[in-house]
Amino acid sequence: MKKHIQSLLLVSPVSLLIAGCASVKVDDFDSIQKYTLTNENGMVVKITNYGATITSIQVPDRDGTMADVALGYNDVSDYINAVDRPYFGSVVGRYGNRIGKGEFTIDGESYQVSLNNNGNHLHGGFMGFDKIVWSAEVLKDGIKLSYLAKDGEEGYPGNLALSVVYTLTNQNEIVMHYQASSDKATPVNVTNHTYFNLAGEGSGSINGHQLQIHSSVYTPVDAGLIPTGELRQVAGTPFDFRSAKPIGRDVEADDKQLKFGLGYDHNWVLDRKGPGMELAATLYEPNSGRVLEVYTEEPAIQFYGGNFLDGRLIGKSGKVYAHRTGLCLETQHSPDSVNQPSWPSVILRPGETYDTTSIYKFSTNPLITQ
Ligand code: GLA
């Protein structure tokens, strides 16, 4: 496997407007870099240490034609300035997904984290991990990105030392290994927010992709997309992806949950056999034959269907990112778990190591035709 530092991104050190919050000075531009991982099959994955962001994933279709299946930009200043902050390709945290009213209690101590999403907390707040320049270390078979989040940052307790190692294997897998430790008990729920379009970024709707999620229950939400606490059976609902089906089949069904999410923007609790790495979801695009399998050690997955993409963002190849032209499969603990004591714990305590891996494996299916 080859890998190399491809280029230094040149961005002038000025104040830049971050959507959803005030003008923020990003003064660490000199250390922003791009890395390229390639494997024996010609698969190429590009990463920047700004937000630990995957900026490009080039994989072959069933005829060997390459396409970039990850939405994103060419220039880091576009990531910094993106309208409505889509979190293209980045690591989100310290708590990925939402915390209701940004409030939680640990060991009798109450905390208020920043409210950056309609009175709730989303993806770590105004300066979440997607807005941070991470330290980078080139490893033998991948890239290690590290960040020390300070005690009190965005309201979270504890200095959190976090790393993610991205590895590209010759089996066309992107392996994402996260590790963290903290000097105070703190909630941690990091995930990667890549938007996939297996026909190629900018090539149109993802509604024809077929999706299978190995889950019998999902977490219904309120109008602010905070789980109500109920675990609802998917059987007989538009949320039933236990067998593969085109995403567009039920997305416009008359369903209150779909109205809240403007489509699919929900969390499925995986039907696990036990702890460890298991297949969570399979995505298939019939025209190209490209397949993405998502494996994880996490208990749940957020399927977000790109409902907030509205055509205002222009991607790296000059194409408009219209409504539902990319989708995220975010391995994680369910949103607001920090306020749901009966759900798997998201609290990392001093002396413990947060350690979780997810794998995004690409292949093609030559047998199934539309
Ligand atoms: C997520 C959330 C969505 C939305 C996107 C970013 O995955 O679930 O509601 O906020 O991030 O646009």
Side-chain angles (χ1 to χ4, degrees), residues 300 337 340 354:
S337 284
Q340 296 289 347
Y354 175 89

Side-chain angles (χ1 to χ4, degrees), residues 84-88 92 97-98 117 122-123 193 195 224-225 261 264-266 302-309 328 330 332 335:
D84 285 348
R85 200 176 174 188
Y87 306 90
F88 286 148
V92 291
N97 217 321
R98 289 176 174 80
N117 189 254
L122 174 67
H123 294 333
H193 207 287
Y195 288 61
L225 301 183
Y264 294 111
D265 190 359
H266 294 79
Q302 181 86 5
F303 161 40
Y304 166 58
N307 308 309
F308 296 117
L309 297 176
C328 303
E330 308 160 38
Q332 59 188 235

Side-chain angles (χ1 to χ4, degrees), residues 2 16 75 148 159 164 166 239 329 338 343:
K2 289 183 293 177
L16 292 156
D75 196 302
L148 178 63
N159 293 294
V164 56
Y166 289 124
F239 294 83
L329 293 167
V338 70
W343 294 2

Side-chain angles (χ1 to χ4, degrees), residues 5-177:
I5 298 175
Q6 194 190 41
S7 66
L8 189 67
L9 289 171
L10 294 175
V11 188
S12 55
V14 291
S15 292
L16 292 156
L17 186 68
I18 295 185
C21 76
S23 180
V24 175
K25 186 162 182 296
V26 180
D27 54 11
D28 207 6
F29 285 131
D30 289 351
S31 56
I32 295 176
Q33 293 183 317
K34 266 185 183 171
Y35 304 88
T36 301
L37 306 181
T38 55
N39 72 6
E40 285 173 356
N41 313 314
M43 181 173 164
V44 181
V45 178
K46 294 185 179 174
I47 294 162
T48 171
N49 59 333
Y50 181 76
T53 302
I54 294 179
T55 60
S56 172
I57 302 173
Q58 292 171 51
V59 284
D61 69 5
R62 60 160 71 90
D63 300 321
T65 306
M66 303 295 281
D68 186 346
V69 298
L71 276 62
Y73 303 113
N74 285 321
D75 196 302
V76 76
S77 62
D78 291 323
Y79 286 91
I80 294 167
N81 290 314
V83 184
D84 285 348
R85 200 176 174 188
Y87 306 90
F88 286 148
S90 55
V91 169
V92 291
R94 175 177 312 203
Y95 197 94
N97 217 321
R98 289 176 174 80
I99 297 176
K101 299 190 182 73
E103 294 170 346
F104 55 87
T105 300
I106 305 175
D107 301 336
E109 190 86 30
S110 297
Y111 296 96
Q112 174 72 62
V113 289
S114 49
L115 301 177
N116 62 323
N117 189 254
N118 306 320
N120 295 313
H121 180 85
L122 174 67
H123 294 333
F126 295 107
M127 287 294 283
F129 296 165
D130 61 302
K131 291 289 179 199
I132 298 297
V133 181
W134 297 51
S135 307
E137 185 188 343
V138 178
L139 305 177
K140 195 162 61 65
D141 55 357
I143 303 290
K144 180 177 185 178
L145 300 168
S146 306
Y147 177 57
L148 178 63
K150 308 284 176 316
D151 187 9
E153 199 172 291
E154 299 291 329
Y156 286 102
N159 293 294
L160 181 79
L162 171 70
S163 66
V164 56
V165 174
Y166 289 124
T167 308
L168 174 62
T169 73
N170 287 324
Q171 288 72 49
N172 286 5
E173 299 161 318
I174 304 173
V175 182
M176 304 178 187
H177 181 200

